[in-house]
Amino acid sequence: MSSVEQKDRKFGVKQYIPIAMIGISIAFIWMGFAKYGFWEDLKGPRPGFFPVIISFALLAASLLALVFSFKEKAPSWPLENWLVPLSVVVIMGTTFIIGLLPSVGLYVLVWLRWFEKCTWRTTLTVFLIIMGIVIGAFVLWLGVPFPKGLILNLIAN
Amino acid sequence: MENLQLLLDGFSVLFTLQNIGVTILGAVLGLIVGAMPGIGSLAGVALLLPLTFKFNPTTAIIMLGALYYSNMYGGAFSAILLNIPGDSPAVMTALDGYPMATQRKRPGQALLTSNMASFIGGTIGMIILTFMGPALADIGLKFGPAEMTALLLVAMTSIGWLVGENPTKGLLLTMFGILLASMGMDTLSGSPRYDFGSIYLLGGIPFTPFVIGVVGFAQVIKLMEERNKKTQVSIEKLTIKGSMITLHDFKRLFFPAVRSGFMGTFVGVLPGAGATTAAFMGYAAQKSFKNEEPLGTGAIEGIAACEAANNGAAAGAFAPLLALGIPGSGTGAVLLGGLMMWGLNPGPLLFTNSPDFAWGLIASLFLANIVTLMIAWGVIPFLIKILSVPTKLMIPIITVVCVVGSYSTSNSMYGVLIMFLSGVLGYVLTKCEYQTAPVLLAFVLAPLLESNMRKAFIISQGSLDIFFQKPISLVFIIILIAIMVFPVVRPLLIRLGLMKRKAS
């Protein structure tokens, strides 16, 4: 069996990116012409001028990429990988309640101790290193005012 | 001679306690980040970008320059000791570095060969940069909007063409990056554009969280696939004394390093080519010279050729970045974005308007080269420990740096949201074999391209003739057309070749 025959010719994830780009380029072209303007004789190029030209180029590149995508292998998407983005969503959510720093601290502890099954010693060492970097570099040195969350704000008030 | 005087002035800017301190800090961080497999210089520079906000622009970019530069050294460590390149330019180093470390039982010498060659290649690159940078800027001063538009289009499309296996994907992402950058506000008229009614989008997509996401966070998601891999370091102990090379070893590495240093520098100047291409070319060229041992079996000449080439390229890439405002790689794009954030506009006028900054940065590269060589030599005994840090511990560390770093750029969760979205986008793109470097380059260069393109069309009153009337822009347009047409024609040519072969 040749390598070309092994490729996945079915419609799938690998077509999503070119299709999304086709949609984006059409939307930008339409908005560029209809909302922002392309060219005026007296004023010259309008705000939509440049994005519209680029959108046409994106449309052409996306159509080509779509054609070529049928000759590519479909990528695998290990479910486990999505735990990282999921953990950031959880951090963003808990930030509004307990603040950003406690959220990232809690995340490190939970991730290492319960997900990675690290020993308490390793977990606490990494926790201390991370919190040292965050507090030392970002809080003390850069002076970043991290959000305190609902609970701390209530206590403070 | 004038350039040497200006370089000396640059050293006087550099020699403050703070600047020397950040050069050393950048060199140490760059070595560590570069040595750890799977992070790379691009992610390293992106993740450390927020830490430079406290400094003045000169100090900040000196630190980033040292970080970027020392990363090239660090990438070779894991390539030599683990056969896992820390960064793509170190791929070729592994070919001879790993056999020299394991089969020939000379790991310390392999590391020192790589360090010495990096130093020689980098020094050559910096000397050429000292003379070529201002010369390129002088040429750049003659460029009008039409020439700049054509040059920027060539730079953007060539990186899309050279990075990755599929040029169409590179072009697609280049255009996408430009569109993302055009969201927010029209730079010429100041009117809102593609903001979709959002007050946040009115200011455009913030650069730092976007870069941290596309490069750093996307890389963490990918690292999950390697979290259970155990790092096997077969070498038991490394010492500084045991890493010394003989005079004969030095003679073997010197000439390949000098040759590749020159070649690498000129490759580094070309947009899109970068350190990886230079390392490949340096190694390929070394094959045509006499080597004491065959390349690929642990030859000193092989390690020297690719390491000198990639460090030469890293230094050479600063010439178009500073003189024309055109980065040659994704990492260069992040550096350029950083410069713009601090209100500096790299381009032909940089050497005239901000000589302190331009020459201070070049001087800092010289210092970083020396400092990195010394530190790289000094850390040899600790390398096994650095390389043995499990990936599963790196994942939460980098995730937290991504979240906290992106928050600190805007002091709002909007930065974290942008980092998150661009990270997921970067991961999906990488999984579908799209290289993200063109998006970064296009994102950074888009405002410059738009302003020059619109000025050119205002001058010509909408006529395309302006791009074909002047010889410089005409040459760039011909190159651009060749770059654009090649991806379309290439499959047809391959198919035609296959048909002919079948017929015969």
Side-chain angles (χ1 to χ4, degrees):
Chain A
M1 196 187 275
S2 74
S3 62
V4 175
E5 284 167 325
Q6 285 175 343
K7 310 287 181 191
D8 184 3
R9 287 178 182 277
K10 283 181 203 162
F11 188 88
V13 180
K14 57 197 189 300
Q15 278 79 41
Y16 291 171
I17 293 174
I19 288 173
M21 295 295 166
I22 290 169
I24 290 169
S25 57
I26 291 171
F28 269 66
I29 291 169
W30 177 76
M31 287 174 80
F33 278 122
K35 206 169 171 187
Y36 307 116
F38 186 76
W39 185 275
E40 271 181 29
D41 285 340
L42 289 175
K43 291 180 180 169
R46 305 307 301 142
F49 176 78
F50 180 71
V52 164
I53 293 173
I54 297 300
S55 299
F56 273 113
L58 176 65
L59 183 61
S62 306
L63 287 169
L64 274 175
L66 183 64
V67 173
F68 292 142
S69 68
F70 288 99
K71 294 176 182 171
E72 291 168 4
K73 274 183 185 170
S76 61
W77 302 94
L79 267 178
E80 206 177 55
N81 291 15
W82 295 105
L83 286 172
V84 178
L86 185 70
S87 61
V88 172
V89 172
V90 174
I91 289 173
M92 286 196 283
T94 51
T95 293
F96 290 103
I97 303 162
I98 58 169
L100 187 59
L101 293 187
S103 296
V104 293
L106 209 61
Y107 154 71
V108 173
L109 288 175
V110 171
W111 184 276
L112 289 177
R113 186 71 188 101
W114 284 280
F115 179 65
E116 295 290 6
K117 309 250 186 300
C118 291
T119 60
W120 271 114
R121 190 190 150 117
T122 311
T123 305
L124 289 174
T125 309
V126 176
F127 173 80
L128 288 175
I129 291 171
I130 295 179
M131 293 319 279
I133 295 171
V134 172
I135 294 171
F138 290 93
V139 179
L140 298 177
W141 187 37
L142 291 174
V144 178
F146 287 111
K148 291 184 178 123
L150 273 174
I151 295 174
L152 268 178
N153 279 333
L154 275 174
I155 294 168
N157 291 329
Chain B
M1 285 310 282
E2 192 198 345
N3 289 2
L4 289 178
Q5 181 58 48
L6 289 164
L7 182 64
L8 285 176
D9 293 344
F11 275 106
S12 67
V13 172
L14 173 69
F15 283 133
T16 64
L17 205 62
Q18 191 185 36
N19 287 351
I20 294 173
V22 298
T23 308
I24 295 170
L25 182 67
V28 173
L29 290 173
L31 276 173
I32 295 171
V33 169
M36 285 175 173
I39 301 181
S41 63
L42 186 54
V45 174
L47 288 172
L48 291 163
L49 203 56
L51 288 182
T52 61
F53 289 164
K54 187 89 173 169
F55 299 127
N56 64 57
T58 310
T59 306
I61 208 73
I62 282 173
M63 183 178 164
L64 287 180
L67 178 89
Y68 165 59
Y69 190 75
S70 58
N71 224 285
M72 295 290 153
Y73 275 68
F77 293 162
S78 54
I80 290 169
L81 297 179
L82 304 175
N83 204 20
I84 305 169
D87 209 353
S88 55
V91 170
M92 303 309 285
T93 312
L95 294 181
D96 278 289
Y98 189 64
M100 186 172 169
T102 51
Q103 290 163 22
R104 296 187 189 277
K105 310 278 181 211
R106 302 185 72 198
Q109 283 76 8
L111 290 167
L112 195 57
T113 300
S114 143
N115 292 344
M116 298 285 275
S118 298
F119 178 77
I120 295 169
T123 307
I124 292 168
M126 285 159 204
I127 293 169
I128 296 174
L129 168 67
T130 305
F131 293 97
M132 197 199 269
L136 255 182
D138 285 343
I139 297 170
L141 283 172
K142 294 176 183 132
F143 289 4
E147 286 88 348
M148 274 311 283
T149 304
L151 176 63
L152 285 164
L153 284 171
V154 169
M156 284 173 160
T157 44
S158 63
I159 197 168
W161 182 60
L162 285 167
V163 176
E165 287 178 4
N166 190 335
T168 316
K169 288 180 173 177
L171 289 178
L172 182 148
L173 284 191
T174 303
M175 300 307 152
F176 180 58
I178 299 175
L179 282 191
L180 286 180
S182 69
M183 291 168 75
M185 202 171 280
D186 174 26
T187 44
L188 290 190
S189 68
S191 56
R193 183 174 68 178
Y194 300 105
D195 60 340
F196 302 98
S198 160
I199 193 162
Y200 289 111
L201 277 179
L202 199 58
I205 295 172
F207 173 73
T208 312
F210 177 69
V211 173
I212 292 175
V214 169
V215 184
F217 190 53
Q219 188 71 4
V220 191
I221 306 174
K222 251 185 89 184
L223 275 180
M224 281 294 283
E225 286 165 31
E226 294 163 24
R227 60 181 256 278
N228 290 323
K229 273 187 195 167
K230 288 214 166 146
T231 313
Q232 294 287 344
V233 188
S234 51
I235 295 116
E236 286 173 1
K237 200 181 173 191
L238 284 169
T239 59
I240 294 178
K241 201 178 169 189
S243 308
M244 295 299 285
I245 54 169
T246 62
L247 186 66
H248 178 66
D249 289 338
F250 184 75
K251 281 181 188 165
R252 283 178 65 188
L253 78 87
F254 185 73
F255 290 107
V258 171
R259 245 187 334 256
S260 295
F262 275 102
M263 183 199 275
T265 305
F266 288 105
V267 173
V269 171
L270 303 172
T276 310
T277 314
F280 275 83
M281 285 178 73
Y283 193 81
Q286 188 56 38
K287 280 186 177 171
S288 56
F289 289 95
K290 198 181 160 195
N291 300 298
E292 203 171 290
E293 289 146 337
L295 291 193
T297 63
I300 285 179
E301 293 86 348
I303 302 173
C306 43
E307 276 303 303
N310 77 42
N311 279 268
F318 275 93
L321 176 69
L322 295 176
L324 301 173
I326 293 170
S329 62
T331 317
V334 178
L335 289 175
L336 180 66
L339 289 175
M340 288 172 164
M341 261 178 357
W342 290 298
L344 289 159
N345 285 314
L349 290 171
L350 186 76
F351 283 91
T352 321
N353 291 347
S354 309
D356 282 1
F357 167 76
W359 289 104
L361 173 60
I362 294 174
S364 78
L365 291 179
F366 278 96
L367 180 70
N369 201 20
I370 297 165
V371 168
T372 310
L373 177 67
M374 290 193 294
I375 295 173
W377 200 0
V379 297
I380 283 177
F382 310 104
L383 275 179
I384 294 173
K385 277 203 166 172
I386 295 174
L387 292 172
S388 305
V389 176
T391 309
K392 65 179 184 183
L393 299 187
M394 296 303 300
I395 292 169
I397 294 176
I398 305 175
T399 306
V400 170
V401 172
C402 287
V403 171
V404 173
S406 50
Y407 180 90
S408 68
T409 58
S410 56
N411 288 345
S412 104
M413 289 303 282
Y414 175 61
V416 183
L417 184 67
I418 291 291
M419 181 281 295
F420 171 77
L421 293 174
S422 50
V424 172
L425 175 74
Y427 170 66
V428 172
L429 289 173
T430 316
K431 287 293 280 183
C432 293
E433 292 170 9
Y434 286 78
Q435 299 286 329
T436 48
V439 183
L440 299 179
L441 192 77
F443 189 81
V444 173
L445 290 180
L448 193 62
L449 175 67
E450 178 171 14
S451 102
N452 277 292
M453 189 188 264
R454 280 169 72 172
K455 278 178 199 163
F457 277 110
I458 289 169
I459 293 167
S460 69
Q461 292 178 324
S463 167
L464 277 169
D465 289 349
I466 191 166
F467 296 106
F468 302 96
Q469 282 164 349
K470 291 181 184 171
I472 299 172
S473 57
L474 181 64
V475 169
F476 286 139
I477 290 292
I478 291 169
I479 296 170
L480 176 70
I481 291 169
I483 292 170
M484 299 287 277
V485 169
F486 184 75
V488 186
V489 175
R490 191 174 70 163
L492 296 175
L493 290 174
I494 292 170
R495 200 170 290 176
L496 206 71
L498 281 174
M499 281 168 70
K500 271 187 183 173
R501 210 178 296 165
K502 265 188 186 173
S504 65

